[in-house]
Amino acid sequence: MDLITRISEGRTLTTTIGNSSNSSCSSMGPFCVAISLGIISLIIIRVLYVIYRSSQPRRDMSPLQPLCTLIVMGSGGHTAEMLNLLSVLQEHRFKPRYYIAAATDNMSLPKAQVFENSLLDKEGVEKVGVAQFMQIYRSREVGQSYITSVGTTLLAMAHALWLMLKIRPQVILCNGPGTCIPLCAIAFLLKIFGIRWSYIFYVESIARVQRLSLSAFLLYKLRMADQLFVQWPQLKEKYPRAHYVGRLIYTLLRSINTKVRGYTYRVVESFVTTV
């Protein structure tokens, strides 16, 4: 009888504890919901503030202060266009410079090294600053299945986070390669959490006439790019928040002959005045 009595008392105690726990959870329910809604509201407000501030010129930075710059390189025409743009950039304003290309891209970084060596021969290291060259994992290779690309995308995001925390750039320049998406996404998240403020400048390829590339489209729609430049007026009409700067390659060739930078100077000036 004693054993039966103890079992009954144990069941009663367990039931009492369970009921009190359920009552506590029920009473804490509205409080937990209120806390969750408050956190979500703060995150939304912070995101909206970051988007608004990104579109405004930064006034608290000296125009003579060098800016740590991250340059995302891409294979083929992307590298050629980026080097053309860098050729009219004020090197003393954007230093140190970090060049990043995909781990499978074996051509872009050597071309960037040749470009940097030409700057050193012409101006010297004290004026143009130093440059470093790095590689990053690609989110998805050409022809890779979407299932396996999930894992490679997560790896690329982790690698991008490590690089961004290591470099902590103030300016990010990119012009089309998908490699820039993880880096820009991490930079945008670092803005939201107040860790580092990086200005993202995206120059769309001249080959894009009717619509944006996937990289540009994502940065435009998600409002991650501070400034997005296009080289055809019809793109400006289709994407009003983009900035039309003319055909940069033609402008660069013309500037060599006339010593006038034209539209390209507007791009460079936008880099300087925005940051």
Side-chain angles (χ1 to χ4, degrees):
M1 291 295 294
D2 293 339
L3 179 61
I4 295 174
T5 302
R6 290 177 181 177
I7 293 174
S8 300
E9 291 176 352
R11 289 178 177 176
T12 304
L13 179 61
T14 302
T15 303
T16 303
I17 294 174
N19 291 334
S20 62
S21 299
N22 292 333
S23 300
S24 300
C25 293
S26 299
S27 61
M28 291 291 291
F31 177 76
C32 294
V33 171
I35 292 295
S36 300
L37 291 176
I39 293 174
I40 293 174
S41 299
L42 289 176
I43 293 175
I44 293 175
I45 293 172
R46 176 63 182 177
V47 170
L48 294 176
Y49 169 75
V50 168
I51 292 174
Y52 168 76
R53 186 185 170 190
S54 296
S55 63
Q56 304 299 314
R58 189 166 180 175
R59 306 295 185 184
D60 59 344
M61 185 176 292
S62 170
L64 301 178
Q65 179 182 354
L67 301 171
C68 178
T69 304
L70 173 63
I71 303 166
V72 185
M73 308 294 286
S75 58
H78 293 300
T79 294
E81 290 188 17
M82 179 59 75
L83 293 178
N84 283 333
L85 179 60
L86 294 177
S87 66
V88 295
L89 207 62
Q90 302 171 10
E91 295 86 6
H92 66 280
R93 183 79 166 93
F94 299 89
K95 63 180 182 180
R97 292 175 297 281
Y98 295 85
Y99 293 84
I100 289 187
T104 55
D105 184 356
N106 299 319
M107 299 181 63
S108 296
L109 292 185
K111 292 180 180 179
Q113 289 176 333
V114 172
F115 172 77
E116 284 292 329
N117 290 335
S118 67
L119 294 179
L120 292 175
D121 294 338
K122 182 173 60 175
E123 302 289 349
V125 67
E126 292 185 1
K127 183 173 182 180
V128 302
V130 297
Q132 296 188 35
F133 307 90
M134 303 176 175
Q135 291 183 313
I136 185 175
Y137 294 111
R138 292 189 62 170
S139 299
R140 182 174 180 269
E141 297 291 345
V142 178
Q144 182 181 355
S145 67
Y146 289 102
I147 297 178
T148 58
S149 66
V150 174
T152 55
T153 299
L154 293 177
L155 179 61
M157 291 293 291
H159 195 193
L161 175 61
W162 181 80
L163 288 172
M164 290 297 297
L165 292 176
K166 179 182 179 180
I167 300 173
R168 298 175 66 85
Q170 294 165 282
V171 175
I172 300 175
L173 304 180
C174 45
N175 69 333
T179 309
C180 72
I181 295 300
L183 293 167
C184 292
I186 294 298
F188 189 75
L189 290 176
L190 294 181
K191 285 183 185 181
I192 293 175
F193 291 107
I195 299 174
R196 183 61 164 176
W197 195 279
S198 301
Y199 283 90
I200 302 172
F201 296 96
Y202 187 99
V203 182
E204 183 60 294
S205 171
I206 194 173
R208 291 292 174 170
V209 180
Q210 298 297 334
R211 60 182 180 178
L212 297 176
S213 62
L214 179 59
S215 299
F217 182 78
L218 291 175
L219 294 179
Y220 181 87
K221 288 297 184 181
L222 297 177
R223 295 177 179 265
M224 289 192 293
D226 296 87
Q227 299 284 338
L228 193 147
F229 300 97
V230 295
Q231 303 188 51
W232 296 94
Q234 51 267 42
L235 285 178
K236 168 64 177 177
E237 295 176 1
K238 191 172 183 179
Y239 305 96
R241 285 187 286 106
H243 300 270
Y244 171 62
V245 292
R247 264 75 73 193
L248 294 180
I249 293 179
Y250 170 75
T251 303
L252 286 168
L253 293 174
R254 184 178 60 183
S255 68
I256 294 174
N257 296 323
T258 63
K259 305 299 182 182
V260 177
R261 289 181 178 176
Y263 284 119
T264 305
Y265 185 73
R266 287 171 52 191
V267 179
V268 177
E269 281 297 295
S270 182
F271 289 160
V272 176
T273 57
T274 303
V275 298

